[in-house]
Amino acid sequence: ALFAMAAEASMLDLRFATARADAEGWFEFRSLAPGKYRVQAQGGDWNGTVEMEVPDLPEVVLILTAPDGAVRGRVVSAQTGAPVSEATVMLVREDSALGFLGAFMPGGRQTEWARSDEEGNFEFSAVAEGRYTVSVRADGPGFNPDDGDSGMEPLGRVEVPAFQMSFNESRDLGLLRLPIASAILLHVT
């Protein structure tokens, strides 16, 4: 299924259309006004958003290509440098994929989740061009900050400043160092 919405949509500009692709991947949007659109595709091997521009012509064929970008990195303890497995890694597209109304529509503000592997590595694939942030926290099923036998201090979280991805760019964020988390001990009487 495909959903196209005007890229500069506002409360008064609700240009959108839906379509279904055939077995070869061809689809048709009828009566789209000229302008920039973001197409949310769901199904097959890829789910995500691509941008297209509709020229002022009676008929046009556009070939949309699914993105092949990647964001990867490695999560380690800032104190010891040891890899942190099962950390939760969140990739958020900050420039809403569907403009103003993106938060209310399919494919709006896109958030992807991953877990770091045993060596602390993580990777997001099929990342479209856009502005992203990454946040990491050590709270996966393999992490227990109360486990006194682990020898590990409870770890906090790290935020990667926003960055811009180009079409099909591969970006290595390098080492993401999780700091030791703060702890507060309270005694209530």
Side-chain angles (χ1 to χ4, degrees):
L2 296 125
F3 177 83
M5 183 170 183
E8 292 87 24
S10 68
M11 291 295 279
L12 301 175
D13 180 9
L14 296 177
R15 292 177 288 151
F16 69 91
T18 61
R20 289 211 174 272
D22 64 19
E24 284 87 41
W26 290 98
F27 60 92
E28 180 179 2
F29 290 117
R30 295 183 179 269
S31 303
L32 280 182
K36 292 182 180 181
Y37 292 84
R38 291 198 170 100
V39 177
Q40 173 69 33
Q42 296 177 336
D45 294 335
W46 181 75
N47 293 330
T49 304
V50 293
E51 296 186 10
M52 71 176 185
E53 186 162 355
V54 176
D56 192 5
L57 297 171
E59 185 173 57
V60 65
V61 174
L62 300 173
I63 306 296
L64 302 179
T65 305
D68 194 25
V71 174
R72 67 183 62 83
R74 186 166 185 237
V75 183
V76 299
S77 165
Q79 181 183 26
T80 66
V84 177
S85 65
E86 298 295 323
T88 300
V89 185
M90 183 173 66
L91 175 71
V92 178
R93 184 168 177 181
E94 292 295 320
D95 57 345
S96 176
L98 290 173
F100 172 75
L101 296 175
F104 308 106
M105 307 301 277
R109 185 174 168 157
Q110 295 172 307
T111 302
E112 300 289 333
W113 300 86
R115 292 258 188 222
S116 58
D117 66 15
E118 293 165 356
E119 296 298 318
N121 298 309
F122 67 89
E123 182 170 350
F124 295 96
S125 58
V127 177
E129 60 188 312
R131 186 169 177 79
Y132 292 89
T133 58
V134 170
S135 66
V136 182
R137 64 180 189 262
D139 64 349
F143 179 76
N144 183 359
D146 298 324
D147 181 4
D149 296 333
S150 70
M152 258 186 109
E153 294 289 335
L155 297 175
R157 68 183 296 160
V158 66
E159 303 280 336
V160 175
F163 56 93
Q164 185 71 32
M165 290 287 290
S166 303
F167 186 70
N168 289 348
E169 177 183 355
S170 283
R171 181 170 296 226
D172 189 339
L173 300 175
L175 293 178
L176 301 181
R177 300 175 194 281
L178 292 181
I180 295 176
S182 299
I184 299 173
L185 178 61
L186 298 175
H187 178 73
V188 179
T189 57

